[in-house]
Amino acid sequence: MQQASANRVERLVQQFEELYGAAPELMVRAPGRVNLIGEHTDYNDGYVFPAAIERDILIAASVRRDRQVRLFSSDMGVSSTFTLDAIEKVSAEGERWSNYPRAMAWALQNRGLPLRGVQAVLQGNIPPGAGLSSSAALLVASGLLLLSAAHQTLDPVELALLAQQAEREFVGVNVGIMDQFISVLGKKDHALFIDTRTLHYEPVPLPTSGVVIVIANTNKPRGLVDSAYNQRRAECEEALAYLKRFLPSIRALRDVTSEEFTRWEASLPEVPRKRARHVITENERVLQSVEALKKGDITLFGHLMNASHNSLRDDYEVSCTELDALVEAAWALPGVYGSRMTGAGFGGCAVSLVAEEALERFCQEVPQRYREATGREATILITRAAQGAERLL
Ligand code: ADP
Ligand code: MG
């Protein structure tokens, strides 16, 4: 229970009682996440290194005798009801959030798990659409709730895979495995190294004192993210096709070392060459980051974060004025080990590793410099690495 504040839990219980006239029998939480390094590597079979954050979705519920799932989103102030016998996707603006729990129920039943009806209230504090994966948290929390209500258990990796399948096939968003995986398997005070090809994973300790993760949100509305994302995927495919001529055994950019790349890069047109260079060097930076943190070398890890930002800005070309402004403002301050854009790019958030004694100045100066550079307001979220999804009640 340590991760969700007692106040939030209390309020949720109260709300549940007002709505359904009895105390909840179950409560679950699932966190959002921030990727510390390893960006745009997942669809190239590569490595990622996220941490779960101290922001989550809480769901309180009780089991019903029938096959109805009744949900009330406390944040949206809207309820949505469906039956487990015929799960349909909804398109009404106010109810679309319920497609995530619907998707999860659909995926669990497809897997042959018998579910039971529930009535529930959910409440979250992950800003939606900011790239901190509120959608994965909602899927995973819904999954854990539905499993608990039916007295079912599932291997955590399988739960993550089903949540990914739910988002891909039911909601219709072509996502990788990182978000669902970290929301399920996150470990307090650890980042999680994940090999997205083999799903091998390893929690790596972060310093437990003296340093915090600071997430700065550009608050820039989503623009060209989706089309640029698809374009980058295609450019990686193109780079792979070129490199296969020289390295016939490779299956993905993940299989290319930087020595091999240096040997053949001149044969690639400029754009696929730059995209491949980012992916190949980024994968290496993730492996170096894991080694650095295992040795407690936070300074080296910070340098790798900075190099990741430069690569995303210059080679992958997914940064933007707003992200660069946040990162440069962070770089200029003492006590900042490293800073980079995180997530798909073109907006969303920057992540920094900051010494505790430098926090106050960071919170003052970064938003101020950001305002001067862009005219926008940044929001700052301070966190440590949090535990993955869990049943609280
Ligand atoms: P991200 O995962 O980066 O936050 P997405 O667009 O993938 O952004 O997911 C955001 C969507 O998740 C919201 O539009 C909403 O449908 C759903 N969602 C997130 N948080 C909540 C919440 N607290 N209550 C209900 N739905 C939520
Ligand atoms: Mg999402």
Side-chain angles (χ1 to χ4, degrees):
M1 186 83 71
Q2 77 274 13
Q3 302 277 349
S5 77
N7 261 344
R8 273 178 73 216
V9 169
E10 226 171 85
R11 259 184 284 133
L12 190 64
V13 168
Q14 214 174 9
Q15 228 178 352
F16 185 94
E17 287 172 350
E18 280 164 19
L19 261 164
Y20 301 111
E25 299 162 355
L26 294 165
M27 195 183 296
V28 295
R29 62 165 279 279
R33 64 96 186 96
V34 65
N35 192 20
L36 298 178
I37 195 162
E39 216 64 74
H40 287 281
T41 48
D42 59 344
Y43 50 86
N44 293 294
D45 271 6
Y47 309 120
V48 294
F49 199 35
I53 58 174
E54 290 166 335
R55 294 287 184 109
D56 52 35
I57 303 242
L58 288 176
I59 313 182
S62 61
V63 180
R64 291 174 61 90
R65 285 160 185 260
D66 60 14
R67 306 262 300 151
Q68 301 257 309
V69 175
R70 293 177 173 258
L71 304 164
F72 179 74
S73 164
S74 150
D75 307 299
M76 315 270 175
V78 178
S79 64
S80 184
T81 299
F82 64 93
T83 163
L84 290 167
D85 295 322
I87 305 174
E88 281 172 1
K89 199 171 158 180
V90 283
S91 53
E93 177 74 34
E95 228 183 321
R96 237 182 275 162
W97 59 271
S98 74
N99 283 327
Y100 295 97
R102 286 167 192 256
M104 205 59 229
W106 169 84
L108 290 169
Q109 290 195 145
N110 260 2
R111 159 73 174 60
L113 291 156
L115 299 182
R116 300 179 65 182
V118 291
Q119 48 201 14
V121 185
L122 62 107
Q123 197 273 322
N125 60 4
I126 311 163
L132 301 175
S133 251
S134 64
S135 62
L138 182 51
L139 284 161
V140 169
S142 306
L144 197 57
L145 176 79
L146 290 164
L147 286 168
S148 306
H151 300 292
Q152 302 282 338
T153 53
L154 204 55
D155 171 72
V157 172
E158 206 180 339
L159 175 58
L161 285 166
L162 284 176
Q164 180 197 24
Q165 187 194 15
E167 189 155 2
R168 276 195 175 170
E169 294 176 24
F170 191 95
V171 182
V173 187
N174 187 14
V175 291
I177 186 64
M178 170 168 66
D179 303 352
Q180 290 76 13
F181 207 92
I182 181 68
S183 184
V184 176
L185 284 141
K187 187 170 171 193
K188 187 171 158 52
D189 294 324
H190 290 66
L192 196 68
F193 169 75
I194 308 166
D195 178 337
T196 63
R197 172 181 280 167
T198 63
L199 297 188
H200 162 79
Y201 64 96
E202 185 184 354
V204 180
L206 290 167
T208 48
S209 67
V211 188
V212 285
I213 300 169
V214 182
I215 298 164
N217 189 344
T218 59
N219 289 319
K220 185 186 173 187
R222 275 192 188 188
L224 296 165
V225 191
D226 293 342
S227 59
Y229 180 81
N230 291 331
Q231 196 189 351
R232 292 299 177 280
R233 286 185 83 129
E235 289 161 352
C236 287
E237 287 297 323
E238 196 188 343
L240 181 68
Y242 273 104
L243 288 165
K244 269 187 174 164
R245 295 184 196 167
F246 315 108
L247 303 162
S249 65
I250 59 171
R251 282 197 285 143
L253 289 180
R254 127 67 170 291
D255 297 310
V256 184
T257 64
S258 50
E259 290 74 32
E260 287 168 331
F261 181 68
T262 313
R263 186 144 20 109
W264 303 114
E265 66 173 321
S267 319
L268 271 66
E270 191 190 353
V271 170
R273 179 169 71 231
K274 288 165 80 172
R275 306 305 185 241
R277 189 193 296 132
H278 166 72
V279 173
I280 293 162
T281 58
E282 184 79 351
N283 275 325
E284 291 179 346
R285 279 187 290 272
V286 177
L287 297 177
Q288 289 163 0
S289 296
V290 170
E291 289 316 305
L293 280 180
K294 281 182 179 171
K295 289 188 198 127
D297 191 344
I298 191 104
T299 304
L300 174 57
F301 180 46
H303 288 314
L304 292 162
M305 291 175 76
N306 298 347
S308 168
H309 185 78
N310 289 333
S311 178
L312 287 158
R313 184 194 58 211
D314 300 335
D315 278 339
Y316 220 65
E317 298 180 275
V318 290
S319 190
C320 60
T321 318
E322 290 80 2
L323 286 167
D324 288 343
L326 283 175
V327 168
E328 280 161 27
W331 283 346
L333 293 178
V336 175
Y337 289 96
S339 183
R340 58 181 285 275
M341 57 155 280
T342 183
F346 301 103
C349 298
V351 61
S352 307
L353 226 51
V354 183
E356 258 168 4
E357 64 267 20
L359 253 186
E360 202 179 317
R361 189 163 165 200
F362 187 104
C363 293
Q364 257 175 8
E365 288 190 25
V366 170
Q368 188 188 327
R369 289 190 188 204
Y370 180 67
R371 193 179 306 122
E372 285 161 11
T374 66
R376 292 181 190 278
E377 294 299 321
T379 7
I380 304 279
L381 193 161
I382 299 161
T383 186
R384 290 181 193 279
Q387 188 66 26
E390 60 194 333
R391 186 169 168 182
L392 303 175
L393 178 73

